[in-house]
Amino acid sequence: MTTSTPTVVLVHGAFADAASWSGVIAELQREGIAVVAPPNPLRGLASDAAYIASVASQIDGPVVLVGHSYGGALITVAGTTENVVGLVYVAAYVLEEGESLGELQGRFPLSPLVSNLKEWTYPVGEGDTAVEVTIAEDAFPAVFAADVPEDVTKVLAVAQRPLAAGAFAETASAAAWKTKPSWALVAGADQAINPEVERFGAQRAGATVVELAGASHAVAVSEPKEVAALIRDAVRATS
């Protein structure tokens, strides 16, 4: 049975996992909105977007894709999937076709995140290794989640999911916001992505924009009601 009310697919970003959406999921479920929060592989823009597109395409009926941070770059590409009817960017990168995260970021002053990344290596087969990054544990609270209680940030800091460093240089193969409606939440006190990057991308996409002045990058954790409200607006508009 298909439904005309979209299912919400929540795509987490780097240095987090699907549990970062817990508060938002609870709010959406309370309102009877169907929601899925898949694991983001965090291994590369093209492959991660293909994974998210695959998840969306297997859902019966329309889908609203929601991307936090790096997840925004993924929904920009995966959003071209036929049954995706809307895009919601939460403190996220909104790429243009042919643009990389590094290029978009490079137009604006760098955030404190950049100088607080820790490099690790991981095996990629045939004895080769690649580089992945996390946020230095001591810098994590201030950079990622300054408006989240300290006991929570201590847990989040050690439970980080690393992002393959190569993802910063990969370019977006499409920009779904050119043909699908979009919404964006700008975290005004974001120290992981310069809020100017979020504003620029959202405006370029013609998104309906909400800004939370004091919100950190972890706005889905600290302000789940506000994030869920924007998603609800997108669901209603596309139903």
Side-chain angles (χ1 to χ4, degrees):
M1 189 183 95
T2 58
T3 169
S4 62
T5 302
T7 296
V8 171
V9 175
L10 300 169
V11 183
H12 69 81
F15 322 123
D17 60 23
S20 60
W21 292 112
S22 296
V24 175
I25 292 168
E27 293 291 331
L28 295 174
Q29 287 179 334
R30 203 170 288 132
E31 301 200 30
I33 295 170
V35 59
V36 177
N40 177 351
L42 302 176
R43 295 294 81 166
L45 182 53
S47 61
D48 294 343
Y51 178 78
I52 297 304
S54 172
V55 170
S57 68
Q58 293 175 73
I59 293 171
D60 284 338
V63 166
V64 168
L65 285 180
V66 182
H68 173 249
S69 189
Y70 167 68
L74 303 187
I75 70 169
T76 296
V77 176
T80 58
T81 305
E82 196 176 340
N83 63 327
V84 173
V85 294
L87 309 166
V88 182
Y89 295 94
V90 179
Y93 293 105
V94 188
L95 295 181
E96 169 64 279
E97 187 175 346
E99 184 177 56
S100 70
L101 296 172
E103 284 171 332
L104 176 56
Q105 252 181 194
R107 299 177 179 201
F108 301 91
L110 293 176
S111 71
L113 169 78
V114 181
S115 57
N116 285 290
L117 290 176
K118 183 176 178 182
E119 292 193 353
W120 308 74
T121 59
Y122 65 98
V124 288
E126 301 294 321
D128 292 332
T129 59
V131 175
E132 61 185 14
V133 290
T134 57
I135 302 171
E137 198 178 317
D138 59 345
F140 185 92
V143 167
F144 199 87
D147 58 351
V148 175
E150 186 185 1
D151 58 336
V152 177
T153 61
K154 281 182 174 175
V155 174
L156 296 177
V158 298
Q160 290 181 63
R161 295 266 318 278
L163 174 66
F168 290 103
E170 275 190 71
T171 58
S173 60
W177 48 259
K178 290 182 173 176
T179 56
K180 310 211 173 162
S182 60
W183 289 258
L185 187 148
V186 174
D190 201 327
Q191 298 293 302
I193 300 177
N194 183 336
E196 289 295 334
V197 173
E198 298 170 21
R199 288 185 199 107
F200 171 80
Q203 286 164 358
R204 179 171 63 179
T208 301
V209 181
V210 170
E211 181 152 346
L212 296 182
S216 77
H217 193 59
V219 63
V221 178
S222 62
E223 302 280 1
K225 281 186 164 61
E226 301 288 347
V227 174
L230 184 64
I231 296 168
R232 188 178 61 237
D233 288 348
V235 168
R236 286 179 177 161
T238 55
S239 291

